Amino acid sequence: FALILVALLIFRFVGLPVYRIEAINIKRLLESVLDETATEADWDVFIGMPVHHNPELDDIRVQCAMLALTEMSLRQGLVIFSDQGRVQIEEHLQVLNRQILQQKEHNHD
């Protein structure tokens, strides 16, 4: 009981831990989708977590969710996309790579 009380007090004054999805996180996930190593759980977390701080990333998330409805299947717990789906995932990766490059250039200025 004391441990829970201490944790609640810490969260009250420090704040709850927040996980922020960044472009690099989505890039890694989509690369693992193309490598056919992404799990269903990985995909579900990505699709289920809105990206409020970056509308462009959230748009990619929504487009991927829509794409999954028609182009994705599961095989032994892994996410598998059709050839057409893979092409669209690659296009999203290109957008993410440009965004990551722009962020790096902006941070160096």
Side-chain angles (χ1 to χ4, degrees):
F1 176 74
L3 182 60
I4 294 172
L5 183 60
V6 169
L8 289 175
L9 287 173
I10 290 172
F11 290 149
R12 168 98 167 63
F13 293 105
V14 176
L16 293 173
V18 175
Y19 179 71
R20 250 176 94 126
I21 295 178
E22 299 294 343
I24 191 71
N25 305 114
I26 298 173
K27 176 185 178 203
R28 287 180 184 143
L29 173 70
L30 295 183
E31 287 172 343
S32 68
V33 165
L34 293 176
D35 292 340
E36 297 183 352
T37 59
T39 66
E40 181 179 12
D42 296 334
W43 186 258
D44 289 344
V45 167
F46 167 55
I47 296 305
M49 189 177 293
V51 186
H52 298 292
H53 68 280
N54 188 325
E56 292 175 15
L57 294 181
D58 198 55
D59 186 49
I60 289 173
R61 181 190 66 84
V62 170
Q63 289 179 32
C64 286
M66 298 298 290
L67 180 63
L69 295 175
T70 58
E71 304 298 327
M72 187 183 94
S73 62
L74 296 172
R75 191 176 314 143
Q76 297 177 346
L78 299 177
V79 172
I80 308 295
F81 275 85
S82 68
D83 290 341
Q84 183 179 357
R86 293 175 65 82
V87 168
Q88 291 182 38
I89 294 289
E90 289 171 353
E91 290 172 3
H92 291 309
L93 272 173
Q94 291 174 1
V95 170
L96 288 167
N97 283 330
R98 283 193 298 271
Q99 191 176 76
I100 290 167
L101 184 61
Q102 288 174 350
Q103 286 174 349
K104 285 183 181 178
E105 290 173 353
H106 178 70
N107 290 339
H108 288 294
D109 291 341

